[in-house]
C-alpha cells in the first residue's frame, strides 16, 4: 500500500528535492537478535519500500540509496555473493510495484566486477520505468564517489584529447554531464541510519552543500515516519550556500 490512512503524512514547510540515504545497520540489527548479517539485509528490503512510499507522499522528487559500494567487495565472499543475488531478487520482486507507483528507477555505478545478471536486472528496471514521471529512485550499486569523479575526469580528458573540448575549458557543468546520473540535481538532504557519522564515499560532488542528518535508528527499523522526522529536521536548517546574514544580538 502506497498511502496508509493510519499513517498520514505531515505537512512540511520545506521538502528536500533530492534525498540520499546510506542504508546502514543491517548487520548490527541482525546480530543483536542472534541472526546472521544476511537476515539483516533481508529485513532492510521492507524498510526501503516504506521509505520510498514516504518520500512520494512527502513530495520528494529524487531519492538515491546506497545499495552496494565499490568498497563492499572487501566483505566476506559469502556476504558479497548474497548481496549480489539479493539485489537481483529485490529488483525482480519490486520493480512492478514501483512501476505502479510511478517511480522511475535509475542505476548509478560501475560495470567492472559487477555481476552481469545484476546489470541486466538494473537495466531492465530502468527500461520498464523510463517513461514514469514520479519519484526518481536511483540505486547506487557498485558505486563509489571518488571513482565516479575519476571516471568523469577520464572521460573529459579523452574529449580534450580528441578536440571535443578545448584545453582549459572544462567546467563544473561539463563535469556534471559525465556523472553516472547527470540529470539528478544536487543532494539537499544526506541521511544516514545507524548512528555512524560519515559519508562513506557517497555522492561526493552532489552533496557539497547537502544538509547532513545522522539518525541512531538501524536501517531495518526505518519507516516512512523516520524519514519524515529527517525532513522536519531539514526544514529547521538555515541553508546559506556560502552566504551569510549580519544578525547581531540585541
Amino acid at each position: 500500500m502506497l498511502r496508509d490512512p493510519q499513517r498520514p503524512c505531515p505537512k512540511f514547510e520545506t521538502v528536500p528535492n533530492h534525498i540520499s540515504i546510506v542504508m546502514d545497520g543491517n548487520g548490527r540489527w541482525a546480530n543483536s537478535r542472534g541472526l546472521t548479517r544476511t537476515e539483516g539485509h533481508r529485513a532492510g528490503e521492507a524498510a526501503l519500500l516504506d521509505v520510498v512510499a514516504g518520500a512520494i507522499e512527502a513530495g520528494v522528487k529524487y531519492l538515491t540509496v546506497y545499495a552496494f559500494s565499490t568498497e563492499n567487495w572487501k566483505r566476506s565472499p559469502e556476504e558479497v555473493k548474497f548481496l549480489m543475488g539479493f539485489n537481483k531478487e529485490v529488483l525482480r520482486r519490486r520493480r512492478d510495484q514501483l512501476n505502479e507507483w510511478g517511480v522511475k528507477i535509475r542505476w548509478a555505478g560501475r560495470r567492472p566486477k559487477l555481476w552481469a545478471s545484476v546489470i541486466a536486472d538494473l537495466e531492465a528496471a530502468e527500461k520498464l520505468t523510463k517513461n514514469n514521471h514520479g519519484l526518481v529512485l536511483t540505486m547506487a550499486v557498485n558505486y563509489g564517489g571518488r571513482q565516479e569523479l575519476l571516471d568523469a575526469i577520464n572521460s573529459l580528458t579523452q574529449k580534450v584529447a580528441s578536440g571535443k573540448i578545448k584545453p582549459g575549458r572544462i567546467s563544473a557543468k561539463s563535469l556534471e554531464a559525465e556523472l553516472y546520473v547527470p540529470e539528478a540535481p544536487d543532494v539537499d538532504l544526506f541521511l544516514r541510519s545507524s548512528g555512524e557519522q560519515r559519508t562513506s564515499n557517497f555522492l561526493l560532488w552532489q552533496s557539497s552543500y547537502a544538509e547532513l542528518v545522522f539518525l541512531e535508528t538501524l536501517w531495518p527499523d526505518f519507516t516512512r515516519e523516520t524519514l519524515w522526522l529527517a525532513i522536519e529536521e531539514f526544514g529547521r536548517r538555515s541553508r546559506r550556500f556560502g552566504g551569510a546574514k549580519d544578525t547581531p544580538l540585541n
Side-chain angles (χ1 to χ4, degrees):
M1 178 184 293
L2 175 56
R3 296 188 180 276
D4 187 340
Q6 303 301 317
R7 306 161 71 188
C9 182
K11 292 183 178 180
F12 302 106
E13 290 188 7
T14 305
V15 175
N17 187 45
H18 186 179
I19 297 178
S20 65
I21 303 180
V22 179
M23 304 179 291
D24 195 19
N26 291 340
R28 275 168 283 169
W29 180 92
N31 291 166
S32 68
R33 290 162 172 77
L35 304 171
T36 62
R37 292 177 58 84
T38 55
E39 291 305 312
H41 295 309
R42 290 191 187 280
E45 179 183 348
L48 175 59
L49 265 290
D50 201 44
V51 165
V52 169
I56 294 170
E57 289 187 82
V60 177
K61 302 300 183 185
Y62 294 85
L63 177 65
T64 304
V65 296
Y66 215 178
F68 190 90
S69 78
T70 49
E71 288 74 38
N72 286 157
W73 295 105
K74 300 174 184 177
R75 297 187 178 186
S76 71
E78 294 78 15
E79 186 172 359
V80 169
K81 182 178 180 180
F82 170 83
L83 288 170
M84 288 293 101
F86 185 62
N87 276 307
K88 291 194 301 178
E89 292 173 14
V90 170
L91 284 165
R92 291 178 182 179
R93 278 197 301 268
R94 301 297 186 175
R95 63 190 177 196
D96 288 338
Q97 181 179 3
L98 292 169
N99 187 45
E100 290 176 1
W101 289 359
V103 172
K104 183 176 183 178
I105 299 173
R106 297 285 278 115
W107 166 43
R110 308 194 80 228
R111 290 178 177 272
K113 293 185 73 172
L114 189 57
W115 288 13
S117 56
V118 176
I119 294 174
D121 281 314
L122 285 163
E123 292 181 337
E126 286 187 316
K127 183 177 180 180
L128 175 67
T129 63
K130 66 179 181 179
N131 294 321
N132 290 344
H133 299 286
L135 174 76
V136 177
L137 172 63
T138 299
M139 304 292 294
V141 183
N142 199 26
Y143 174 89
R146 288 182 174 182
Q147 189 62 58
E148 180 179 31
L149 291 174
L150 286 172
D151 287 343
I153 291 167
N154 282 323
S155 178
L156 287 170
T157 55
Q158 290 174 4
K159 289 183 177 180
V160 170
S162 66
K164 293 180 180 179
I165 297 178
K166 293 182 179 179
R169 298 302 297 271
I170 292 175
S171 64
K173 186 176 181 180
S174 59
L175 188 146
E176 287 169 354
E178 300 297 332
L179 297 178
Y180 296 149
V181 184
E183 69 271 22
D186 284 348
V187 174
D188 299 298
L189 171 60
F190 187 109
L191 177 60
R192 183 171 188 146
S193 59
S194 87
E196 301 290 350
Q197 298 189 18
R198 56 181 178 271
T199 60
S200 293
N201 195 25
F202 189 38
L203 300 177
L204 299 179
W205 177 276
Q206 300 90 332
S207 299
S208 296
Y209 278 99
E211 294 298 320
L212 309 180
V213 174
F214 303 105
L215 298 177
E216 295 291 332
T217 308
L218 300 176
W219 179 249
D221 291 326
F222 244 68
T223 65
R224 66 185 75 186
E225 287 84 2
T226 318
L227 176 73
W228 294 340
L229 287 173
I231 293 175
E232 287 177 345
E233 171 60 26
F234 173 83
R236 290 190 285 268
R237 303 284 180 90
S238 175
R239 306 186 74 200
R240 296 183 294 275
F241 299 97
K245 292 183 179 180
D246 192 14
T247 55
L249 296 175
N250 294 326

